[in-house]
Amino acid sequence: MIWRELEAYIRRRIDESGYLEVKTPQLMAARQWEKSGHWGKYRENMFVVPDEIPSTDDDAPILSGDADLMALKPMNCPAHILIFKRGINSYRDLPLRLYENGCCHRNEPHGALHGLMRVRQFTQDDAHIFCREDQIADEVRAFCALADRVYKDLGFAGYSVKLALRPDQRYGSDEDWDKAEGELRDAVAAAGMATPEFGWEELPGEGAFYAPKLEWHLTDAIGRTWQVGTIQSDRVLPERLDASFVGEDGQKH
């Protein structure tokens, strides 16, 4: 009953916000994760199929070749980009907001598992917004408003918002990272959340390998804080997975 109520609630909020709900496969070929960069950066936390096979000689793990491997998805990013690429996209089609109640699997170390907050299998109410650069600020502000409503409806009125900046190991140019960090910083300021009231703080080196991110931190019943929702400004995955649209000038962007 709790599951059904939560799912129905979040679906109402998502529908009101103009998202299209999708459903993507649990298993995806290794080549998709190689293209996205997750294979090199995140493989140790992925459940690989078929799994590593011990050698008869020295028990060292051997693989049947990465081209033959698949993995349970730890996140939905590449699958949503594949949906976006299903046909020719025009600037008139943007923004396109894809949403999924996606079941994800992450091979977390045993010592890292923690109650309901750090698990190996979970359902993630996850979305990807495909938009033009001139639409980014408005989309981030809209997401800030959506997150605010959801967290307050669920009883988390006193959350914090933080900006996680570029890590040392990352993809993408410094110019792109400057743009992405600036967009998130400006958008959260326009939303009125870059203030002490919201625990505003910038976190050097805490971003993902492909994008900076705004993070929402909630406090549990005994005072511990947990990073939950995020929104990222990502130029790396669209480039690596060749996601593009035809602009008003007739050119590919």
Side-chain angles (χ1 to χ4, degrees):
M1 185 183 294
I2 292 172
W3 176 277
R4 285 170 58 88
E5 289 297 326
L6 280 172
E7 189 175 50
Y9 164 78
I10 196 66
R11 185 170 278 124
R12 289 196 301 273
R13 296 286 84 86
I14 289 297
D15 288 347
E16 293 166 358
S17 301
Y19 289 78
L20 301 175
E21 186 170 350
V22 298
K23 187 67 69 176
T24 59
Q26 292 297 295
L27 274 173
M28 288 180 61
R31 63 180 177 275
Q32 297 298 338
W33 302 107
E34 288 173 338
K35 289 178 183 177
S36 70
H38 291 95
W39 199 249
K41 297 284 187 180
Y42 201 77
R43 176 173 168 168
E44 65 181 18
N45 293 114
M46 298 170 72
F47 289 103
V48 178
V49 181
D51 204 351
E52 297 178 347
I53 306 167
S55 164
T56 55
D57 295 330
D58 56 8
D59 290 331
I62 59 172
L63 296 174
S64 59
D66 284 358
D68 300 325
L69 297 178
M70 302 185 78
L72 289 171
K73 64 176 181 179
M75 62 279 295
N76 302 297
C77 324
H80 288 189
I81 292 179
L82 287 174
I83 292 176
F84 174 79
K85 291 172 60 179
R86 72 195 184 283
I88 297 173
N89 294 283
S90 165
Y91 70 96
R92 296 186 183 91
D93 302 325
L94 304 177
L96 175 63
R97 307 178 189 98
L98 300 181
Y99 164 83
E100 178 169 9
N101 280 318
C103 184
C104 296
H105 296 78
R106 297 182 181 179
N107 191 13
E108 300 280 7
H110 181 75
L113 299 177
H114 188 99
L116 291 174
M117 298 302 297
R118 194 74 177 266
V119 295
R120 289 184 173 139
Q121 186 263 307
F122 57 94
T123 298
Q124 184 178 42
D125 54 324
D126 188 24
H128 291 84
I129 301 170
F130 299 87
C131 66
R132 306 187 307 266
E133 287 199 353
D134 63 286
Q135 296 172 320
I136 291 174
D138 287 342
E139 291 299 313
V140 175
R141 284 199 298 271
F143 178 83
C144 288
L146 174 61
D148 181 71
R149 180 172 184 183
V150 169
Y151 290 139
K152 285 181 177 176
D153 282 352
L154 295 176
F156 294 100
Y159 59 79
S160 299
V161 182
K162 304 183 187 300
L163 175 58
L165 303 172
R166 71 195 73 183
D168 292 334
Q169 300 297 319
R170 60 184 182 270
Y171 292 130
S173 68
D174 286 343
E175 180 183 4
D176 282 346
W177 279 86
D178 289 341
K179 284 182 181 179
E181 291 173 350
E183 288 159 354
L184 295 181
R185 188 180 287 114
D186 292 346
V188 77
M193 292 180 173
T195 65
E197 175 190 357
F198 287 95
W200 173 251
E201 185 181 0
E202 297 195 4
L203 306 174
E206 294 295 314
F209 68 86
Y210 50 85
K213 55 184 177 175
L214 290 175
E215 301 178 343
W216 274 253
H217 293 249
L218 305 186
T219 303
D220 67 16
I222 61 173
R224 297 170 301 186
T225 58
W226 299 89
Q227 183 250 297
V228 283
T230 69
I231 187 167
Q232 305 160 4
S233 180
D234 179 7
R235 287 171 168 80
V236 170
L237 287 187
E239 182 175 338
R240 291 181 67 92
L241 297 178
D242 193 30
S244 61
F245 68 94
V246 177
E248 192 172 6
D249 57 2
Q251 301 296 310
K252 176 181 172 181
H253 294 269

